[in-house]
Amino acid sequence: MKRGVLVLFAALMVGTVALGEGGSLSGSFGIDADFLYDGTAWSFSGGVNLSLSFAGVGVRSRTEFSLAGFEAEKLDFLFTLEDVFLIRNGLVFDPCFSRYELELAGSMFQNGCCAGGFDWRTIFVYGNLASPCQTPDYTIGFVFGTGLTWYLDECCTYFEIRNYLSFGVGGLYYLVDDNYLTWIYPVPGIFFEEDLLTISLKAPAFLGEALLFFDVGGFQWVRFTGTVTLADVFTLGGRVTFVSPFVFSTGDLIFGVGFDGFSARSITTFDLVGFLSEELRFELESNGFKGFMWLYFDVFGVIDITTGLEVSW
């Protein structure tokens, strides 16, 4: 109840400021559900997402639940200045207080229609390693991110190199995995934990990218990705992953199609033996409405279904 009051209070504060300044309030409301099969039975989890913002000030909330009831509450309070500076304060309850995050990010030397130049990102994490609502075991961690972008034309072909370095924090890949349900997590100690380097060449109809991942044991894996877009509708590509000491691990075939707000993407994964898994993503977006469904299955059948709806204004 207290957490719900906190979300409502934050939303009302943002709305009051908006009305007082004569501005417009923007935001979104969404709900999603995930059905996961562990080999013996299906489990269910879901979430309710709310965001409100005005004049660079905003609040985001995600309430997670399962068949057993309330699971977690995630709150973010944000302040942005002309899209070049960000302050984010984040709180997580699961269901007791478990994590606080302070994120500072900025960019400079932007060019043309695409964000670029130099940017930086720092995330401070104060988290609980103990089980939920048990005797807390707090630790701290840091993530440092930097990026450089070089434009090859006026807009928008550019070369980008970006690096994430963490101390006392794991899961750096979750910052770039294109899944809003995943996030970094604290680990014991404040020593070096992970390093993720991304190198990419991006153009309106082409993407070439390399990801290199290191941890305390040194080089762990590298992934190369290449995609092309044909007639602004079809996307074709592939990626290949090698693990230490540069041994083939998996390959992916990527196919996508998109038109009039509808998009579909298929990623077929295989290894040296053969077919390994398939990921399908369907999304429909129009006039502030968005619906999506993600399907994931392996050789035994469907093992994960995620679906949701979102309305924005």
Side-chain angles (χ1 to χ4, degrees):
M1 178 64 70
K2 292 182 178 180
R3 283 181 288 272
V5 172
L6 181 60
V7 177
L8 179 60
F9 175 75
L12 290 175
M13 287 297 294
V14 174
T16 300
V17 173
L19 294 175
E21 297 292 333
S24 61
L25 183 67
S26 64
S28 64
F29 173 81
I31 186 168
D32 57 74
D34 182 71
F35 303 88
L36 180 65
Y37 184 67
D38 62 5
T40 58
W42 288 88
S43 62
F44 165 80
S45 62
V48 176
N49 304 299
L50 172 67
S51 69
L52 296 169
S53 64
F54 169 80
V57 180
V59 58
R60 296 186 307 209
S61 166
R62 175 170 173 81
T63 304
E64 298 182 347
F65 52 87
S66 67
L67 292 178
F70 173 78
E71 294 289 342
E73 175 70 33
K74 300 178 180 179
L75 292 169
D76 283 323
F77 302 93
L78 307 101
F79 171 76
T80 58
L81 178 62
E82 297 181 353
D83 296 325
V84 298
F85 183 69
L86 165 73
I87 300 176
R88 179 181 65 88
N89 284 277
L91 296 170
V92 179
F93 304 86
D94 60 359
C96 301
F97 169 76
S98 66
R99 190 163 73 245
Y100 166 75
E101 296 177 358
L102 172 63
E103 178 177 359
L104 305 174
S107 62
M108 59 187 69
F109 311 123
Q110 294 191 4
N111 180 29
C113 68
C114 307
F118 172 77
D119 61 84
W120 57 273
R121 184 179 187 182
T122 300
I123 305 175
F124 166 74
V125 179
Y126 176 68
N128 181 19
L129 299 175
S131 300
C133 298
Q134 301 300 310
T135 302
D137 178 18
Y138 292 114
T139 186
I140 62 174
F142 301 88
V143 174
F144 302 100
T146 55
L148 287 173
T149 304
W150 292 269
Y151 285 90
L152 304 181
D153 58 20
E154 293 185 359
C155 184
C156 287
T157 302
Y158 58 94
F159 174 79
E160 182 180 75
I161 182 169
R162 189 174 303 279
N163 186 72
Y164 297 97
L165 180 66
S166 72
F167 298 86
V169 173
L172 285 185
Y173 176 68
Y174 295 147
L175 295 175
V176 299
D177 70 345
D178 193 29
N179 187 341
Y180 72 97
L181 295 175
T182 58
W183 190 243
I184 56 176
Y185 53 85
V187 298
I190 56 172
F191 305 104
F192 166 74
E193 190 66 26
E194 296 178 357
D195 186 84
L196 179 66
L197 176 67
T198 70
I199 304 172
S200 57
L201 176 63
K202 299 181 180 180
F206 174 79
L207 167 65
E209 183 180 62
L211 273 71
L212 294 90
F213 179 78
F214 305 83
D215 63 11
V216 292
F219 168 73
Q220 296 300 312
W221 57 265
V222 59
R223 190 181 75 188
F224 301 99
T225 303
T227 62
V228 294
T229 302
L230 306 175
D232 295 327
V233 175
F234 301 100
T235 299
L236 301 174
R239 63 189 182 194
V240 60
T241 301
F242 297 90
V243 297
S244 178
F246 210 80
V247 177
F248 173 79
S249 174
T250 60
D252 302 296
L253 297 177
I254 302 171
F255 173 76
V257 60
F259 55 89
D260 294 334
F262 172 79
S263 65
R265 187 181 70 170
S266 166
I267 300 179
T268 305
T269 303
F270 58 91
D271 58 14
L272 291 176
V273 177
F275 173 79
L276 193 63
S277 65
E278 175 74 25
E279 177 185 342
L280 298 173
R281 291 194 178 191
F282 304 96
E283 296 186 359
L284 178 63
E285 188 170 1
S286 177
N287 298 322
F289 169 84
K290 180 179 180 180
F292 67 91
M293 175 176 287
W294 303 344
L295 302 173
Y296 183 82
F297 56 91
D298 59 14
V299 293
F300 299 105
V302 178
I303 58 176
D304 194 10
I305 303 173
T306 303
T307 184
L309 300 172
E310 181 181 278
V311 179
S312 57
W313 60 89

